[in-house]
Amino acid sequence: MEKKKLSFTRFKQFIPLYLMLLPGALYLFINNYIPMAGIVVAFKAYNVNDGLFFSPWSGLKNFEYLFTTNEAGVIIRNTLLYNVAFIIVNMVMGIILAIFISDVVNSRLKKLYQSSILLPFLISIVVVSYIVFALLSHENGMLNKSLLPLFGQEPVQWYNDTTWWPLILIVTNCWKGVGYGTLIYIAAIAGIDQSFYEAAELDGASKWQQITQITLPCLIPSIITLLIMNIGRIFYSDFGLFYQVPQNSGSLYEVTNTIDTYVYRALMSSGGIGRSSAAGLLQSVVGFTLVMLSNFIVRKASAENAIF
């Protein structure tokens, strides 16, 4: 009886916290768990008249369509290769910028740089697409009107030429998204014991040696965490980046068509809801599997750096 009274007393103490938790838990349940019932659409020939649960079953035909379409190889290749490039470029640039900003002595300038590097991350992708268009427009773009003539180059039809678009998309993604990782790395660097650097300076270590022997090893937990999170989304793509920025130009589909843009276009076609659901389910399963596998490998190599 005493144990029951004690547990009930402890429960009463935490009632305010449970009440604070309730709205978030309800939102999570309504927004994240109830919609999971829609997974069945991936295995059905969905039609509006029969509804979600009464449409006829189609088995794995929606998944077969995803892999047998002529564009299957292109969309999977683009999605994977772009994401690998994004992970590598953003990680390297994020670490470099974090080290540079952390070495700024003036606190006001440091805050300014931190805010500036994060600002593009907060800008809508629609705005980013117009910024890119202002640079690449054939008639009035800065490159065609100002920069290329300086080198005696003819104007380029950027939205009809696939040559430079992999680089354009990688640079745009880095410019927009590198700030998020940079701030995480800055926070990790701020947590490093300064006595390590003081001891290294007394031993005559150069700045490069301090970075390679102190800063980078201390950043490994943050790098691994961000890496695993990004690997979990390696089968996803930024819809706005691949749809809005290239202006949905059909001439660029070979280098801009990814799983997400394909799903959107399939959704707009007749019978596309089932195929879109199949693609989304496949992305989730692959992402979950990769996260578990990556964390398993990290845990085997260094248990303290694993996420779970």
Side-chain angles (χ1 to χ4, degrees), residues 135-147:
L135 293 172
L136 304 181
S137 173
H138 178 68
E139 297 179 356
N140 301 309
M142 182 182 296
L143 288 179
N144 283 345
K145 286 295 183 180
S146 302
L147 297 181

Side-chain angles (χ1 to χ4, degrees), residues 6-7 48 85 106 147 150 152 166 180 221 231-232:
L6 182 61
S7 61
V48 178
N106 190 305
L147 297 181
L150 292 176
Y180 177 79
I231 287 176

Side-chain angles (χ1 to χ4, degrees), residues 85-153:
F86 293 162
I87 290 171
I88 295 173
V89 172
N90 287 7
M91 180 177 67
V92 172
M93 290 301 300
I95 292 172
I96 292 173
L97 290 172
I99 292 173
F100 285 164
I101 294 174
S102 296
D103 281 343
V104 175
V105 178
N106 190 305
S107 60
R108 290 186 178 180
L109 284 178
K110 182 180 289 188
K111 291 179 181 179
L112 176 63
Y113 296 149
Q114 291 177 4
S115 302
S116 300
I117 201 68
L118 185 63
L119 182 61
F121 181 77
L122 304 176
I123 297 176
S124 168
I125 193 65
V126 177
V127 177
V128 173
S129 70
Y130 281 109
I131 294 174
V132 175
F133 183 75
L135 293 172
L136 304 181
S137 173
H138 178 68
E139 297 179 356
N140 301 309
M142 182 182 296
L143 288 179
N144 283 345
K145 286 295 183 180
S146 302
L147 297 181
L148 292 183
L150 292 176
F151 300 96
Q153 299 292 325

Side-chain angles (χ1 to χ4, degrees), residues 22-271:
L22 184 60
L26 286 175
Y27 172 81
L28 188 68
F29 178 73
I30 294 171
N31 191 65
N32 291 46
Y33 287 93
I34 291 180
M36 289 183 68
I39 290 175
V40 298
V41 178
F43 305 94
K44 290 193 170 190
Y46 176 81
N47 63 77
V48 178
N49 293 330
D50 293 329
L52 181 65
F53 296 105
F54 298 101
S55 296
W57 293 94
S58 61
L60 299 176
K61 287 185 178 179
N62 291 324
F63 295 90
E64 292 175 2
Y65 179 85
L66 182 64
F67 288 102
T68 57
T69 179
N70 296 331
E71 300 176 348
V74 173
I75 63 176
I76 293 174
R77 178 202 67 191
N78 289 345
T79 304
L80 293 178
L81 293 183
Y82 275 122
N83 276 322
V84 169
F86 293 162
I87 290 171
I88 295 173
V89 172
N90 287 7
M91 180 177 67
V92 172
M93 290 301 300
I95 292 172
I96 292 173
L97 290 172
I99 292 173
F100 285 164
I101 294 174
S102 296
D103 281 343
V104 175
V105 178
N106 190 305
S107 60
R108 290 186 178 180
L109 284 178
K110 182 180 289 188
K111 291 179 181 179
L112 176 63
Y113 296 149
Q114 291 177 4
S115 302
S116 300
I117 201 68
L118 185 63
L119 182 61
F121 181 77
L122 304 176
I123 297 176
S124 168
I125 193 65
V126 177
V127 177
V128 173
S129 70
Y130 281 109
I131 294 174
V132 175
F133 183 75
L135 293 172
L136 304 181
S137 173
H138 178 68
E139 297 179 356
N140 301 309
M142 182 182 296
L143 288 179
N144 283 345
K145 286 295 183 180
S146 302
L147 297 181
L148 292 183
L150 292 176
F151 300 96
Q153 299 292 325
E154 294 293 327
V156 178
Q157 292 276 3
W158 295 100
Y159 288 93
N160 292 323
D161 187 356
T162 61
T163 306
W164 295 100
W165 272 96
L167 178 61
I168 292 170
L169 292 172
I170 291 172
V171 171
T172 303
N173 177 267
C174 180
W175 175 77
K176 187 178 189 305
V178 73
Y180 177 79
T182 300
L183 291 187
I184 293 178
Y185 294 135
I186 289 174
I189 292 173
I192 299 175
D193 192 342
Q194 293 301 308
S195 63
F196 293 160
Y197 296 103
E198 294 171 0
E201 288 179 359
L202 291 175
D203 290 338
S206 64
K207 190 62 181 178
W208 175 252
Q209 289 174 323
Q210 293 178 36
I211 291 172
T212 55
Q213 301 300 321
I214 300 175
T215 306
L216 292 181
C218 290
L219 286 179
I220 287 178
S222 299
I223 293 172
I224 290 176
T225 300
L226 289 178
L227 184 61
I228 291 177
M229 291 173 62
N230 288 326
I231 287 176
R233 296 190 60 80
I234 202 168
F235 231 57
Y236 289 82
S237 62
D238 187 336
F239 175 80
L241 178 67
F242 291 97
Y243 186 85
Q244 296 283 355
V245 174
Q247 303 288 319
N248 193 28
S249 174
S251 303
L252 303 177
Y253 280 0
E254 183 181 350
V255 294
T256 61
N257 203 13
T258 62
I259 292 177
D260 290 82
T261 57
Y262 167 80
V263 167
Y264 174 77
R265 294 186 182 103
L267 186 63
M268 302 304 291
S269 65
S270 177

